[in-house]
Every structure is written in structure tokens, then in C-alpha cells.
Amino acid sequence: MANIELYRDSGLNIYEKAHYSRGEQIRETEMILSWYRRKCSRILDIGCSGGLHAVELAKKGHSLTGIDREISAIELARERCGKPGLKSEFLVADLEKDELVSLGKFDLIICIGNVISHIAKKSLPAVFMKIRSCLGNDGIFLFDVLAAGYP
């Protein structure tokens, strides 16, 4: 489990500057939407951080729900997506402790930015079952992981 304090307040600012200082979230969102062509989908962004990807997806007409363990990240995401016309909600939730089924079903669930790598291995089966409980019948789950030690 990652030390959540690293992603709080100034740590969140440093994280975003290190990984998204040149609008990388725009290109990443464009890449997702290059193959995910459904319109007005219901999307869950797990580990949404400050909502950078959520803003881009909401701008394209999707309805976004973002979750993150860090309250300051959720507050920032709410601020960023609080513009008229953007359909979004952001909730504090811990994948290892909280149930997700009450969020409903989603057409697309994204979990990018190495979020899964921060989950304890022993918790992964239960976490994946929670995620599956939110995935619609023909829904897609997109995630990435950091693979250290590979060329």
C-alpha cells in the first residue's frame, strides 16, 4: 500500500507537474477514445487523483464518477469538473476497504496511473471482484501496472 500522504496537497501538485505538466492527460484521453467510441458513456475513474483525465472525458460528453482515497485530490477534481455542462461526481473511497457496488454499473472503468500497483497483492482478488461488480455486461475495464525489471 502506498503512503497516501505522498499524494496530499503539495505532493499532489508535485505528482501532477512530474507526470502531466505538458498536458499528457489530453493525449492519454485521446488514445483511449481512439478505440473506445461509445458516446455519452458512464465512466468510473478509479484513482482519479485531481481529475485530469475525468475533465477531458467529461468534455467529450461522458458522465464521470471519480474515486480516490485522498480527500485533497477529490476536492481538486470537484473544483476542476465543477463547470456547467460537465457531468461528474467525485467520492472519497478506498478500493481495499470500501464497497463499490452502490455506485452502479459503468460502461468503462479506467484505473490508470499505476493505481493497481499500489494495492497489496493479497487484496487484489477482492479488489478486482469489487471492480467487476460495477462493470456493465458489455463494459470494459482498462488499467495499467508498473512492471519493474523488464527490458
Side-chain angles (χ1 to χ4, degrees):
M1 178 68 58
N3 180 353
I4 193 70
E5 292 175 11
L6 294 174
Y7 299 98
R8 186 169 292 146
D9 302 320
S10 63
L12 177 58
N13 188 33
I14 291 167
Y15 170 81
E16 285 189 353
K17 283 183 179 178
H19 296 284
Y20 297 104
S21 63
R22 291 175 283 180
E24 288 87 348
Q25 75 278 7
I26 296 168
R27 179 72 180 122
E28 290 174 359
T29 302
E30 287 172 352
M31 289 172 61
I32 292 168
L33 295 178
S34 73
W35 58 264
Y36 185 80
R37 299 187 185 268
R38 296 182 198 168
K39 302 293 182 196
C40 301
S41 290
R42 191 156 187 259
I43 299 175
L44 175 61
D45 185 352
I46 296 175
C48 67
S49 192
L52 292 173
H53 294 91
V55 167
E56 297 306 316
L57 290 163
K59 284 180 185 177
K60 302 293 185 186
H62 299 284
S63 176
L64 263 291
T65 299
I67 61 171
D68 201 287
R69 285 179 44 192
E70 177 48 54
I71 184 68
S72 64
I74 292 298
E75 289 169 351
L76 180 57
R78 287 175 179 156
E79 181 181 315
R80 284 180 171 150
C81 281
K83 297 170 178 56
L86 297 183
K87 294 180 260 175
S88 61
E89 74 171 324
F90 295 92
L91 308 163
V92 175
D94 184 327
L95 279 175
E96 291 185 80
K97 296 177 184 172
D98 298 324
E99 291 302 319
L100 303 179
V101 71
S102 65
L103 298 175
K105 298 289 184 182
F106 294 88
D107 305 304
L108 175 65
I109 299 177
I110 63 171
C111 187
I112 57 178
N114 201 34
V115 173
I116 295 292
S117 296
H118 293 294
I119 308 254
K121 283 185 181 182
K122 67 180 182 180
S123 299
L124 282 174
V127 165
F128 281 123
M129 291 302 292
K130 289 177 187 183
I131 292 168
R132 177 63 185 106
S133 74
C134 293
L135 198 57
N137 288 337
D138 62 346
I140 297 170
F141 175 40
L142 173 67
F143 67 98
D144 63 1
V145 292
L146 176 65
Y150 295 97

